[in-house]
Amino acid sequence: MGFRKRSKKNKNKKNPSQQRDPNERGPSYSEIVRENQDFENYYKGQKVCPEEEWDGMLKALRSDLPTGFRITSYPKYEAEALLSLVESVYFKDLMASKDDDAVAKKPFCLPWYPDRLGWQIQLSRNDIRKSEIYSRLHNFLISETEGGNISRQEVVSMIPPILLDVQAHHKVLDMCAAPGSKTAQLIERLHTTSSKEVPDGVVVANDIDNNRCYMLVHQAKRLNSPCTIVTNHDASIMPNFFIENPDKTTSVMKFDRVLCDVPCTGDGTMRKNPDIWTKWNAANGNNLHGVQIRILKRGLEMLAIGGRLVYSTCSLNPIEDEAVIHRLLSEAEDSVRLVDVTSMLPGLKFSHGMTHWLPASKDITFYKNFEEVPEKWHSTVRPVMFPPKPEDISKYNLERCIRILPHLQDTGGFFVAVLEKLKPLPWEAQLKITNDATTNDTEQESSQAPVIEKRRPNKRIKLGFKEDPFVFFKDNEEVWSSISEFYDIKNDDIVPKCLLTRCEVGKKKNIYLCSPFVRQIIANNQKRIKIINSGVKVFVRCDNRSMGCSFRVAQEGLLNIQSIFGEKRILETNKEDFIKILQHNDPNHPLPTTELDPETQKVFERIGIGSIIIKLIDEKLPIHLVGWKGNCSIRAYITVLDSTHYLRILGQDVSKFETNKFKKPETVEDTKTLESNENAEQNDMETETTTS
């Protein structure tokens, strides 16, 4: 995770060549001079790569980052259909080209990403956006990303969630989660490893920044999972979660998997964020070391024995990487071990973790031991930052860490370490557990932690919006009887007890679904943990007098509850009718029922007016959609993005939804589509550049 805070000291500094008219915006990334002598001196001195590779690494860092994306892995049948479409249609011309330049820029499947769902295109975002040749691919990426079916993500940042090896029953904590690309992978994994519509596990996604939590909510909502909770806390002093035991007592919940993608200097992202060249200095990594170790230690405290934690940064700096891991292993003694996970990443080119490095002061003076450090640097260069003694190197297995350098396979820079908890940490017995929070080693770190770090959690909560409560359905919930009768719903272990609203009084507007385990977590922790969001929308108020029920089904949550509906409100269709309905989701131009197949019309006649579920009879693509049945018409009650997506994977022409910005729009609709695509891309770029 990059630490994207702009310092007041440097915000107005520019090279003479970058001076602009005061009425214009600041220098664009293309105008930034990608040079920093301190950066070069520091990493040459650290020997982060062999000397003969240094020029190649520097050249890679100065070039634009290729485009990476991954296909959302569930539902599996949609992922497979989209993958086939990507390879056979959108990459067809690129793959078949014999032009030397085009051959060098061909897209390729990431060999280490599961099920061929991760890809890299040897073109920067600017190349794709500015070239008419790639306009169709550009439209496709924008549309499917906005719909949640594809995520554009730097390829190296896809690695930590893979190494966590999440299973359907796991309790997963993402400690510094915003903006949410890795969180999305964790949620996907929870679902793809489950045989149930609603997995037993949970993903808790946390971030210290209240505003970034809402960015995180947006990312998580694209996946429509009832197994996700978004919280707003300082990860270094994250409070415990309590759960109820079978004997009605409560205990602290431990997580099976923890992701610590910690705040860092982010110099591994220089290819994507060139402004780091102008701000980089050696003190930045030293200053973040204390924050990083506190988050890591708190993550291990919240981890169950036998559980796995992944520590990652997008920094090349050993002070933020191996020094943090070495310090943790030294203090944790034999309660934690580094795991060799290289077999989980077939085909990935990487360097092993460093076993020797040299802490340095801001003036790029290196020190072999703390005794050499001048007193004026004692607050930033500390004894715990030095490498293990030569005779102790083998004890820590630091070579099991993974360093990904930009020149090895044309990526960003990244660091990953995987830890397994073998037994309670030496200091865990001394922790005092209260109903409000769990104290950790903050007192031990007080000499290096700025006062603001200790005050920040309370300050953030006070400044953040007051969240609406989570109100679960009662046993005799008034609205539920009419909903269950209208849709012929059979109650099960999840519905209706796991339905909730966000209002205590007044009319219920939206009804959400969460998993039974998420329900328990919220019920036991809502008053002591700041929960920003949870649940997926399944019903929406729709006061239509003709319908006979006050709530329509929401497309967002249909995948999680489609099996609970009886035949009363389900319209089964063949592929031809299904496509016709998708092409008529405009409420002003629904599909006349006379255009449906006669057999479909018979089924249609027995269903009353209102919200329905439209089911495609197809073994390979058993798609379910929310629809609306009128007196003599029908339409899909979904967004244009969703209808475009389904038409794509069903092999239909969607060119009317794709406007070539290199050609003048011919109609008002073309102009609106172009503006919509540009806005979607801008939102995606802002999300991605906030942090890796």
Side-chain angles (χ1 to χ4, degrees):
M1 172 184 287
F3 200 65
R4 302 277 296 147
K5 186 174 181 180
R6 189 181 180 92
S7 68
K8 293 181 181 179
K9 183 177 180 181
N10 294 324
K11 71 177 182 179
N12 294 319
K13 280 190 176 182
K14 297 178 186 176
N15 292 331
S17 62
Q18 296 173 350
Q19 295 295 335
R20 300 170 67 96
D21 187 289
N23 295 320
E24 295 182 11
R25 299 175 65 182
S28 66
Y29 278 179
S30 62
E31 295 175 300
I32 292 175
V33 178
R34 304 190 186 199
E35 293 180 2
N36 186 311
Q37 195 58 52
D38 283 351
F39 173 85
E40 294 186 40
N41 293 341
Y42 182 81
Y43 282 116
K44 268 190 175 180
Q46 296 291 10
K47 299 180 180 178
V48 294
C49 71
E51 188 173 348
E52 62 271 17
E53 296 181 18
W54 174 256
D55 290 342
M57 189 179 90
L58 206 57
K59 181 180 178 182
L61 280 169
R62 287 171 174 158
S63 63
D64 290 335
L65 187 72
T67 299
F69 74 89
R70 56 182 180 79
I71 298 170
T72 301
S73 57
Y74 88 97
K76 187 177 180 180
Y77 55 84
E78 287 190 26
E80 292 174 346
L82 205 55
L83 173 61
S84 176
L85 191 65
V86 165
E87 294 183 293
S88 63
V89 177
Y90 293 98
F91 285 171
K92 185 178 180 181
D93 293 339
L94 297 177
M95 300 291 273
S97 176
K98 295 182 180 179
D99 178 77
D100 290 341
D101 185 55
V103 169
K105 295 179 178 179
K106 281 184 179 180
F108 67 91
C109 180
L110 302 172
W112 42 267
Y113 199 90
D115 302 321
R116 293 179 53 79
L117 297 180
W119 288 78
Q120 180 165 309
I121 309 172
Q122 301 306 99
L123 296 162
S124 71
R125 296 176 69 110
N126 283 336
D127 292 332
I128 295 175
R129 188 168 63 252
K130 293 181 178 179
S131 173
E132 186 173 358
I133 299 173
Y134 306 116
S135 60
R136 193 179 184 196
L137 173 62
H138 183 225
N139 273 306
F140 166 75
L141 290 174
I142 292 174
S143 175
E144 294 295 341
T145 298
E146 186 72 5
N149 308 301
I150 276 179
S151 291
R152 284 192 281 180
Q153 184 179 352
E154 187 170 353
V155 297
V156 289
S157 78
M158 301 177 190
I159 292 173
I162 295 174
L163 298 180
L164 269 181
D165 191 27
V166 170
Q167 301 299 315
H169 63 282
H170 281 160
K171 299 181 284 292
V172 186
L173 172 62
D174 190 349
M175 300 189 77
C176 309
S181 55
K182 298 180 185 69
T183 304
Q185 284 180 262
L186 299 175
I187 296 170
E188 289 176 40
R189 178 69 179 176
L190 206 67
H191 283 265
T192 55
T193 55
S194 176
S195 59
K196 303 177 181 179
E197 285 181 333
V198 178
D200 295 327
V202 62
V203 173
V204 176
N206 175 73
D207 202 85
I208 187 175
D209 189 296
N210 187 263
N211 291 328
R212 284 162 59 85
C213 279
Y214 293 99
M215 185 190 302
L216 180 58
V217 169
H218 172 73
Q219 285 285 80
K221 275 190 172 182
R222 297 190 313 155
L223 297 173
N224 300 318
S225 172
C227 306
T228 307
I229 299 174
V230 175
T231 63
N232 179 204
H233 285 280
D234 181 342
S236 66
I237 50 173
M238 185 96 181
N240 275 327
F241 289 75
F242 287 85
I243 55 174
E244 187 177 277
N245 301 317
D247 62 358
K248 303 301 180 181
T249 60
T250 59
S251 61
V252 174
M253 181 179 83
K254 296 291 186 179
F255 289 88
D256 303 292
R257 298 288 187 267
V258 175
L259 176 58
C260 289
D261 186 49
V262 297
C264 67
T265 56
D267 56 25
T269 70
M270 283 177 158
R271 303 182 68 181
K272 184 174 66 176
N273 306 309
D275 56 326
I276 294 175
W277 284 99
T278 66
K279 299 183 295 184
W280 190 95
N281 70 72
N284 292 340
N286 295 344
N287 293 337
L288 284 170
H289 176 92
V291 175
Q292 293 160 342
I293 188 68
R294 287 196 293 278
I295 294 174
L296 174 56
K297 292 177 75 171
R298 185 63 190 133
L300 282 167
E301 290 164 3
M302 301 184 78
L303 184 67
I305 294 173
R308 174 175 287 195
L309 179 148
V310 170
Y311 175 88
S312 62
T313 78
C314 48
S315 170
L316 302 172
N317 196 339
I319 304 302
E320 303 177 69
D321 299 338
E322 287 89 351
V324 173
I325 299 299
H326 169 240
R327 180 178 175 184
L328 183 281
L329 293 172
S330 299
E331 296 180 12
E333 299 171 351
D334 59 349
S335 61
V336 176
R337 74 179 183 99
L338 267 172
V339 183
D340 184 353
V341 290
T342 53
S343 61
M344 297 181 67
L345 300 168
L348 179 72
K349 299 175 183 177
F350 63 92
S351 296
H352 292 282
M354 299 169 64
T355 58
H356 180 76
W357 57 89
L358 295 171
S361 48
K362 188 176 181 179
D363 60 359
I364 318 297
T365 301
F366 293 101
Y367 306 101
K368 295 180 180 178
N369 53 65
F370 186 69
E371 287 69 30
E372 295 181 356
V373 182
E375 186 175 351
K376 68 176 181 178
W377 299 121
H378 280 188
S379 61
T380 55
V381 181
R382 306 186 64 207
V384 290
M385 297 177 180
F386 286 83
K389 296 177 181 178
E391 62 269 23
D392 293 333
I393 287 177
S394 61
K395 183 167 65 175
Y396 297 105
N397 297 308
L398 291 175
E399 70 281 352
R400 292 180 180 175
C401 299
I402 294 174
R403 283 186 153 266
I404 302 168
L405 302 178
H407 64 293
L408 296 180
Q409 58 230 309
D410 202 8
T411 65
F414 212 74
F415 174 86
V416 191
V418 181
L419 297 164
E420 181 184 1
K421 188 174 181 179
L422 304 175
K423 61 182 182 180
L425 303 165
W427 62 87
E428 278 191 286
Q430 303 171 12
L431 296 180
K432 181 180 178 182
I433 300 174
T434 68
N435 287 331
D436 298 319
T438 299
T439 59
N440 56 14
D441 65 324
T442 305
E443 292 77 11
Q444 300 172 21
E445 289 287 323
S446 59
S447 63
Q448 75 175 66
V451 175
I452 191 171
E453 286 185 18
K454 301 180 75 172
R455 292 178 179 173
R456 189 184 302 170
N458 290 334
K459 184 179 179 182
R460 292 283 181 177
I461 290 175
K462 288 178 182 177
L463 291 177
F465 295 105
K466 186 181 187 322
E467 297 301 323
D468 293 328
F470 294 82
V471 183
F472 288 94
F473 271 27
K474 301 174 183 177
D475 292 337
N476 58 346
E477 196 68 43
E478 183 180 348
V479 299
W480 179 244
S481 58
S482 64
I483 294 174
S484 58
E485 181 181 352
F486 184 78
Y487 292 103
D488 191 22
I489 295 174
K490 299 171 179 60
N491 294 358
D492 59 15
D493 292 336
I494 298 178
V495 178
K497 73 176 183 180
C498 291
L499 296 178
L500 63 99
T501 61
R502 298 300 300 272
C503 60
E504 292 179 321
V505 295
K507 279 189 174 183
K508 296 174 175 59
K509 183 179 179 182
N510 297 318
I511 297 173
Y512 302 89
L513 172 78
C514 68
S515 71
F517 191 61
V518 167
R519 186 191 193 283
Q520 184 188 158
I521 293 174
I522 293 175
N524 284 284
N525 298 277
Q526 185 173 182
K527 293 181 179 179
R528 51 182 305 280
I529 288 179
K530 188 177 180 185
I531 300 176
I532 300 295
N533 190 269
S534 187
V536 58
K537 191 187 300 180
V538 287
F539 295 102
V540 179
R541 180 168 288 279
C542 177
D543 293 322
N544 187 307
R545 295 179 181 179
S546 302
M547 195 169 91
C549 177
S550 299
F551 288 85
R552 65 173 178 83
V553 182
Q555 181 67 29
E556 293 96 319
L558 182 58
L559 187 64
N560 303 288
I561 60 169
Q562 58 192 32
S563 65
I564 70 171
F565 294 97
E567 296 181 0
K568 187 176 179 181
R569 304 296 303 175
I570 295 179
L571 175 66
E572 294 187 340
T573 72
N574 56 38
K575 184 176 179 180
E576 290 73 20
D577 282 346
F578 196 81
I579 290 171
K580 288 179 184 178
I581 294 170
L582 280 172
Q583 293 169 336
H584 291 78
N585 71 328
D586 184 343
N588 298 316
H589 301 91
L591 178 70
T593 54
T594 53
E595 295 188 24
L596 295 172
D597 181 273
E599 292 300 316
T600 306
Q601 290 186 49
K602 290 180 182 179
V603 180
F604 180 87
E605 290 171 0
R606 68 165 173 77
I607 302 176
I609 292 174
S611 181
I612 61 173
I613 292 94
I614 305 167
K615 179 181 177 181
L616 173 61
I617 305 172
D618 189 317
E619 290 184 3
K620 293 184 178 180
L621 287 169
I623 303 169
H624 289 63
L625 299 178
V626 171
W628 185 270
K629 178 190 181 298
N631 283 317
C632 53
S633 64
I634 186 173
R635 72 178 179 92
Y637 210 119
I638 59 176
T639 66
V640 173
L641 283 171
D642 283 340
S643 60
T644 305
H645 164 70
Y646 288 120
L647 286 169
R648 271 199 187 102
I649 63 176
L650 288 168
Q652 300 303 298
D653 179 15
V654 293
S655 56
K656 71 174 183 178
F657 302 111
E658 300 175 346
T659 301
N660 186 340
K661 68 179 181 180
F662 296 96
K663 295 180 180 179
K664 185 177 180 179
E666 297 178 359
T667 65
V668 174
E669 287 72 19
D670 287 344
T671 303
K672 289 180 179 179
T673 301
L674 177 59
E675 291 175 350
S676 176
N677 282 353
E678 289 177 341
N679 290 336
E681 181 181 30
Q682 183 61 34
N683 291 337
D684 179 53
M685 288 179 68
E686 289 174 356
T687 297
E688 188 174 90
T689 56
T690 302
T691 176
S692 64

